[in-house]
């Protein structure tokens, strides 16, 4: 679905992006003087974006959309944890409870996936 919708999203953003930017910043995006550093960061941002989309295709293709969502929650937990650890970003009770609930859900999901895989393997052995 992402593969099919990406060209339409790009076309819509190509048209609406400069208009919204003009409205919000009162500056024309095409009048900006792009230095080599700014251009390099734009290119780096594009490469990272394409990599994220490609990894999404790989994860969903090899696993399932539910697994992809679980990985998304894990990423959020890691971002909050590393923000606290490395940047000394304050943790609230809400953050901690959310992380614990997400980790509990990931553990349950992994457990049930493992149980289902074991059952499928056992069924395959019996049918052979």
């Amino acid at each position: 679905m992402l593969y099919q919708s990406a060209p339409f999203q790009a076309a819509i953003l190509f048209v609406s992006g400069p208009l919204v930017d003009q409205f919000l910043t009162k500056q024309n995006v095409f009048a900006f003087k792009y230095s080599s550093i700014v251009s390099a960061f734009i290119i780096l941002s594009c490469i990272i974006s394409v990599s994220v989309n490609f990894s999404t295709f790989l994860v969903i293709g090899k696993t399932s959309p539910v697994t992809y969502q679980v990985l998304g929650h894990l990423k959020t937990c890691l971002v909050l944890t590393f923000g606290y650890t490395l940047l000394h970003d304050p943790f609230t009770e809400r953050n901690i409870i959310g992380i614990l609930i997400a980790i509990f859900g990931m553990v349950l999901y992994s457990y049930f996936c493992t149980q289902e895989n074991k059952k499928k393997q056992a069924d395959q052995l019996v049918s052979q």
Side-chain angles (χ1 to χ4, degrees), residues 119-128:
K119 185 179 180 210
K120 284 180 184 178
Q121 289 174 351
D123 290 344
Q124 286 176 350
L125 289 175
V126 169
S127 65
Q128 291 178 354

Side-chain angles (χ1 to χ4, degrees), residues 92-111:
T92 63
E93 279 184 25
R94 186 175 175 181
N95 294 122
I96 295 169
I97 292 169
I99 289 174
L100 291 175
I101 290 171
I103 290 174
F104 180 71
M106 286 180 253
V107 168
L108 278 179
Y109 176 74
S110 298
Y111 173 77

